[in-house]
PDB file of all heavy atoms in Angstrom:
ATOM      1  N   ARG A 736     152.151 -31.232  51.439  1.00 98.00           N
ATOM      2  CA  ARG A 736     153.504 -31.003  50.872  1.00 98.00           C
ATOM      3  C   ARG A 736     154.541 -31.774  51.695  1.00 98.00           C
ATOM      4  O   ARG A 736     155.474 -32.342  51.137  1.00 98.00           O
ATOM      5  CB  ARG A 736     153.852 -29.509  50.860  1.00 98.00           C
ATOM      6  CG  ARG A 736     152.915 -28.623  50.028  1.00 98.00           C
ATOM      7  CD  ARG A 736     152.831 -29.049  48.581  1.00 98.00           C
ATOM      8  NE  ARG A 736     151.940 -28.188  47.787  1.00 98.00           N
ATOM      9  CZ  ARG A 736     150.983 -28.647  46.978  1.00 98.00           C
ATOM     10  NH1 ARG A 736     150.772 -29.946  46.830  1.00 98.00           N
ATOM     11  NH2 ARG A 736     150.231 -27.822  46.281  1.00 98.00           N
ATOM     12  N   ALA A 737     154.327 -31.808  53.002  1.00 98.00           N
ATOM     13  CA  ALA A 737     155.307 -32.468  53.884  1.00 98.00           C
ATOM     14  C   ALA A 737     155.380 -33.974  53.636  1.00 98.00           C
ATOM     15  O   ALA A 737     156.412 -34.585  53.893  1.00 98.00           O
ATOM     16  CB  ALA A 737     154.973 -32.183  55.354  1.00 98.00           C
ATOM     17  N   VAL A 738     154.290 -34.587  53.133  1.00 98.00           N
ATOM     18  CA  VAL A 738     154.361 -36.024  52.836  1.00 98.00           C
ATOM     19  C   VAL A 738     154.625 -36.273  51.350  1.00 98.00           C
ATOM     20  O   VAL A 738     154.477 -37.391  50.858  1.00 98.00           O
ATOM     21  CB  VAL A 738     153.104 -36.815  53.303  1.00 98.00           C
ATOM     22  CG1 VAL A 738     152.913 -36.690  54.809  1.00 98.00           C
ATOM     23  CG2 VAL A 738     151.845 -36.375  52.547  1.00 98.00           C
ATOM     24  N   GLY A 739     154.977 -35.206  50.629  1.00 98.00           N
ATOM     25  CA  GLY A 739     155.413 -35.397  49.240  1.00 98.00           C
ATOM     26  C   GLY A 739     154.314 -35.291  48.196  1.00 98.00           C
ATOM     27  O   GLY A 739     154.511 -35.649  47.040  1.00 98.00           O
ATOM     28  N   ILE A 740     153.132 -34.783  48.580  1.00 98.00           N
ATOM     29  CA  ILE A 740     152.075 -34.556  47.576  1.00 98.00           C
ATOM     30  C   ILE A 740     152.372 -33.221  46.908  1.00 98.00           C
ATOM     31  O   ILE A 740     152.309 -32.172  47.561  1.00 98.00           O
ATOM     32  CB  ILE A 740     150.677 -34.550  48.246  1.00 98.00           C
ATOM     33  CG1 ILE A 740     150.383 -35.917  48.884  1.00 98.00           C
ATOM     34  CG2 ILE A 740     149.593 -34.146  47.254  1.00 98.00           C
ATOM     35  CD1 ILE A 740     149.138 -35.944  49.766  1.00 98.00           C
ATOM     36  N   GLY A 741     152.695 -33.272  45.610  1.00 98.00           N
ATOM     37  CA  GLY A 741     153.157 -32.050  44.951  1.00 98.00           C
ATOM     38  C   GLY A 741     152.139 -31.403  44.029  1.00 98.00           C
ATOM     39  O   GLY A 741     152.350 -30.286  43.559  1.00 98.00           O
ATOM     40  N   VAL A 742     151.010 -32.051  43.760  1.00 98.00           N
ATOM     41  CA  VAL A 742     150.059 -31.539  42.754  1.00 98.00           C
ATOM     42  C   VAL A 742     149.265 -30.351  43.308  1.00 98.00           C
ATOM     43  O   VAL A 742     149.159 -30.187  44.534  1.00 98.00           O
ATOM     44  CB  VAL A 742     149.091 -32.664  42.278  1.00 98.00           C
ATOM     45  CG1 VAL A 742     149.862 -33.811  41.634  1.00 98.00           C
ATOM     46  CG2 VAL A 742     148.217 -33.168  43.421  1.00 98.00           C
ATOM     47  N   PRO A 743     148.696 -29.511  42.396  1.00 98.00           N
ATOM     48  CA  PRO A 743     147.900 -28.370  42.872  1.00 98.00           C
ATOM     49  C   PRO A 743     146.720 -28.806  43.740  1.00 98.00           C
ATOM     50  O   PRO A 743     146.095 -29.839  43.470  1.00 98.00           O
ATOM     51  CB  PRO A 743     147.400 -27.723  41.573  1.00 98.00           C
ATOM     52  CG  PRO A 743     148.369 -28.159  40.516  1.00 98.00           C
ATOM     53  CD  PRO A 743     148.812 -29.526  40.920  1.00 98.00           C
ATOM     54  N   ILE A 744     146.451 -28.010  44.777  1.00 98.00           N
ATOM     55  CA  ILE A 744     145.330 -28.293  45.699  1.00 98.00           C
ATOM     56  C   ILE A 744     144.383 -27.095  45.636  1.00 98.00           C
ATOM     57  O   ILE A 744     144.696 -26.014  46.137  1.00 98.00           O
ATOM     58  CB  ILE A 744     145.845 -28.521  47.133  1.00 98.00           C
ATOM     59  CG1 ILE A 744     146.847 -29.699  47.151  1.00 98.00           C
ATOM     60  CG2 ILE A 744     144.675 -28.778  48.081  1.00 98.00           C
ATOM     61  CD1 ILE A 744     147.470 -29.995  48.524  1.00 98.00           C
ATOM     62  N   ILE A 745     143.241 -27.296  44.992  1.00 98.00           N
ATOM     63  CA  ILE A 745     142.297 -26.202  44.734  1.00 98.00           C
ATOM     64  C   ILE A 745     141.266 -26.158  45.858  1.00 98.00           C
ATOM     65  O   ILE A 745     140.601 -27.165  46.130  1.00 98.00           O
ATOM     66  CB  ILE A 745     141.572 -26.427  43.382  1.00 98.00           C
ATOM     67  CG1 ILE A 745     142.593 -26.610  42.252  1.00 98.00           C
ATOM     68  CG2 ILE A 745     140.619 -25.281  43.090  1.00 98.00           C
ATOM     69  CD1 ILE A 745     141.978 -27.108  40.943  1.00 98.00           C
ATOM     70  N   PRO A 746     141.125 -25.003  46.528  1.00 98.00           N
ATOM     71  CA  PRO A 746     140.135 -24.929  47.607  1.00 98.00           C
ATOM     72  C   PRO A 746     138.707 -24.913  47.052  1.00 98.00           C
ATOM     73  O   PRO A 746     138.411 -24.161  46.120  1.00 98.00           O
ATOM     74  CB  PRO A 746     140.470 -23.606  48.306  1.00 98.00           C
ATOM     75  CG  PRO A 746     141.200 -22.778  47.297  1.00 98.00           C
ATOM     76  CD  PRO A 746     141.874 -23.737  46.346  1.00 98.00           C
ATOM     77  N   GLY A 747     137.835 -25.733  47.621  1.00 98.00           N
ATOM     78  CA  GLY A 747     136.421 -25.772  47.232  1.00 98.00           C
ATOM     79  C   GLY A 747     135.605 -24.927  48.193  1.00 98.00           C
ATOM     80  O   GLY A 747     135.638 -25.138  49.404  1.00 98.00           O
ATOM     81  N   ILE A 748     134.886 -23.930  47.647  1.00 98.00           N
ATOM     82  CA  ILE A 748     134.163 -22.978  48.507  1.00 98.00           C
ATOM     83  C   ILE A 748     132.661 -23.014  48.240  1.00 98.00           C
ATOM     84  O   ILE A 748     132.225 -22.926  47.089  1.00 98.00           O
ATOM     85  CB  ILE A 748     134.690 -21.538  48.261  1.00 98.00           C
ATOM     86  CG1 ILE A 748     136.162 -21.436  48.683  1.00 98.00           C
ATOM     87  CG2 ILE A 748     133.850 -20.503  49.019  1.00 98.00           C
ATOM     88  CD1 ILE A 748     136.441 -21.702  50.147  1.00 98.00           C
ATOM     89  N   LEU A 749     131.904 -23.128  49.327  1.00 98.00           N
ATOM     90  CA  LEU A 749     130.442 -23.077  49.224  1.00 98.00           C
ATOM     91  C   LEU A 749     129.934 -21.735  49.736  1.00 98.00           C
ATOM     92  O   LEU A 749     130.017 -21.467  50.941  1.00 98.00           O
ATOM     93  CB  LEU A 749     129.813 -24.200  50.069  1.00 98.00           C
ATOM     94  CG  LEU A 749     128.283 -24.181  50.128  1.00 98.00           C
ATOM     95  CD1 LEU A 749     127.675 -24.614  48.797  1.00 98.00           C
ATOM     96  CD2 LEU A 749     127.750 -25.058  51.258  1.00 98.00           C
ATOM     97  N   PRO A 750     129.410 -20.865  48.851  1.00 98.00           N
ATOM     98  CA  PRO A 750     128.713 -19.684  49.355  1.00 98.00           C
ATOM     99  C   PRO A 750     127.374 -20.169  49.925  1.00 98.00           C
ATOM    100  O   PRO A 750     126.549 -20.701  49.187  1.00 98.00           O
ATOM    101  CB  PRO A 750     128.506 -18.824  48.097  1.00 98.00           C
ATOM    102  CG  PRO A 750     129.368 -19.449  47.021  1.00 98.00           C
ATOM    103  CD  PRO A 750     129.473 -20.897  47.371  1.00 98.00           C
TER     104      PRO A 750
END
Side-chain angles (χ1 to χ4, degrees):
R736 299 302 181 229
V738 300
I740 298 170
V742 299
I744 301 178
I745 305 169
I748 296 298
L749 175 72

